[in-house]
Amino acid sequence: MHDVIIIGSGPAGFTAAIYAGRANLRPIVLASSVAMGGDLMTTTEVDNFPGFPEGIQGPELMFAMQQQAERFGADVRMVDVTELELDGEIKRVHVGDEVLEARAVIYATGSEYRKLGVEGEQRLSGHGVSWCATCDGFFFKQKQLVVVGGGDSAMEEATFLTKFAEKVTIVHRSETFRASAAMLDRAEQDPKIEFLTNATIDEIRGTEVNGVEQVTSIVVRDTVTASTHEMPIDGVFVAIGSDPRTHLIHGKLDLTAEGTIAVDGRSSRTSVEGVFAAGDVIDPIYRQAITAAGSGTVAAIDVEHYLAAHPAPALDEA
C-alpha cells in the first residue's frame, strides 16, 4: 500500500513529488514510457522559469526536477497507466498487468497542443515552430512571424507577438473568425498584424545554419483555388487550441465546460475524495511551467492534509 501515486511527470507532477517526498509520503511517480517530462522535453530554451537568469534547456530543467524529487524519496517509473479505479478508500492504478494501490492519487497528465499535422512541424519544433507566444516570443525580435488560427487564442498570441516581431501574419482557413468581436477588432487595429484568409499551411520548411535547421518559409495553400505559394517566414506559432489529457478519467471525475478536471476552488480536490489534480489538466488559461509547478505544490499539500485526516487502517497482526 502506497501513500500517494502521482500520474504525470511534468512540472506539476515532479513538484508534487518533491513536496510529497519532503512530507515523507514516499510518492510513486508514473511517467510515460515514451518520454518523461511532458512538453518541456521538446522545448529548447526556457527563459521564463525563475532561478535561471541565463535560461535553461527544457530537458535539462525536467531532469533536474526528477533528480530533486528522487532525492526526497520519489520512486519514478517510466510506465504507462492503462486503467484507474478511483472509488473507495483505496485507489487502484493499473500499469499493464500490474495493479498499484494507494490511499491518494494526484492526476497531473497535462495538456497537449493541437498540431497542424504538416511536414516540417514536428521536425522544426523549438527551431522556429512554437505553440506558446508567452514562452518563445522573446526570441523573435524584429522577425517575420505567422500565427495559425482564428479564435481568441490566435488573436491574443498575434497581439502579444507584436511586442517583439516586425510583422505578424494571421493565417486562417476561412474568412469567418471564431474570435470574439473585441479580440478580432484589437488585432485588426494593430499596424503590425496582417491577415491571410482562405489559407492553410501545407508544409513548414527550414534551412540549416551552423548545423541547426531553422524555419525559413511555409507553403501556403489557397482553400478556394487550391493554388500554393511559398512564403518566407522566420517563425510559426500554432494557435488552434489544446486538449487536456483526461482520457483515463472520463466518467470517473467531473470535468469543466472547457474539458479540464473540475477542482474545488483554489484547491486540487476533485469530485472524488482522495483524488487530486494539478497542472495544465485543470488549467484552460495559463498553461505555463511555473503555474503548473505551483499547482503541483497545492496538490501535494492537499494530499498531506487528506492523509493526516484519514489515517491508514491498522494492519492485521494475526
Side-chain angles (χ1 to χ4, degrees):
M1 178 63 59
H2 305 284
D3 289 322
V4 58
I5 293 174
I6 300 169
I7 303 171
S9 58
F14 276 140
T15 303
I18 291 168
Y19 273 77
R22 282 172 55 85
N24 200 31
L25 297 181
R26 300 164 298 159
I28 292 181
V29 179
L30 303 182
S32 167
S33 65
V34 178
M36 177 278 298
D39 290 338
L40 282 182
M41 294 302 290
T42 60
T43 302
T44 50
E45 192 77 14
V46 179
D47 212 38
N48 55 2
F49 199 92
F52 301 95
E54 303 301 321
I56 185 172
Q57 297 290 304
E60 184 182 356
L61 176 60
M62 295 318 303
F63 284 128
M65 285 189 180
Q66 177 183 357
Q67 291 173 340
Q68 190 172 358
E70 290 175 333
R71 174 189 163 202
F72 292 113
D75 178 2
V76 180
R77 305 183 186 183
M78 302 287 288
V79 296
D80 294 317
V81 177
T82 54
E83 186 182 348
L84 296 173
E85 297 179 54
L86 302 178
D87 292 331
E89 292 185 11
I90 304 304
K91 317 302 178 185
R92 292 176 175 82
V93 180
H94 294 248
V95 180
D97 294 332
E98 184 181 8
V99 179
L100 304 175
E101 295 185 338
R103 297 163 59 206
V105 166
I106 296 176
Y107 195 84
T109 53
S111 65
E112 185 175 10
Y113 289 109
R114 294 172 188 161
K115 307 293 196 301
L116 297 174
V118 300
E119 175 67 27
E121 180 182 26
Q122 195 61 39
R123 186 181 78 252
L124 292 165
S125 171
H127 298 279
V129 176
S130 173
W131 290 265
C132 179
T134 306
C135 309
D136 301 326
F138 178 82
F139 302 107
F140 292 88
K141 289 184 176 179
Q142 299 304 308
K143 300 294 186 180
Q144 305 274 329
L145 303 178
V146 156
V147 172
V148 185
D152 278 354
S153 60
M155 304 304 146
E156 187 174 359
E157 297 274 281
T159 302
F160 178 83
L161 288 169
T162 60
K163 296 179 180 180
F164 311 101
E166 179 181 327
K167 184 179 77 170
V168 180
T169 301
I170 296 176
V171 176
H172 185 47
R173 62 174 58 249
S174 73
E175 293 181 352
T176 303
F177 293 91
R178 292 177 288 104
S180 64
M183 292 295 294
L184 180 58
D185 182 66
R186 182 182 176 191
E188 289 176 334
Q189 297 303 316
D190 194 311
K192 284 189 175 183
I193 295 178
E194 296 183 359
F195 290 82
L196 181 59
T197 56
N198 292 326
T200 59
I201 294 179
D202 271 9
E203 182 183 353
I204 303 173
R205 294 177 176 175
T207 300
E208 191 171 303
V209 178
N210 297 325
V212 179
E213 190 178 14
Q214 296 286 340
V215 169
T216 51
S217 67
I218 57 175
V219 176
V220 179
R221 178 176 297 275
D222 189 303
T223 60
V224 178
T225 67
S227 62
T228 62
H229 70 277
E230 187 171 4
M231 177 180 174
I233 208 73
D234 299 304
V236 178
F237 285 78
V238 182
I240 56 177
S242 64
D243 298 305
R245 297 186 178 99
T246 57
H247 60 284
L248 286 170
I249 54 84
H250 281 175
K252 302 177 187 295
L253 301 179
D254 289 348
L255 301 180
T256 67
E258 293 87 359
T260 54
I261 296 176
V263 293
D264 181 14
R266 296 187 63 185
S267 80
S268 66
R269 296 186 295 270
T270 71
S271 56
V272 174
E273 189 175 50
V275 180
F276 305 81
D280 287 4
V281 78
I282 68 170
D283 178 12
I285 300 174
Y286 301 105
R287 297 194 300 270
Q288 300 296 303
I290 189 64
T291 54
S295 180
T297 302
V298 171
I301 294 174
D302 284 346
V303 165
E304 184 180 0
H305 291 166
Y306 170 79
L307 294 179
H310 299 78
L315 295 176
D316 187 356
E317 298 179 356

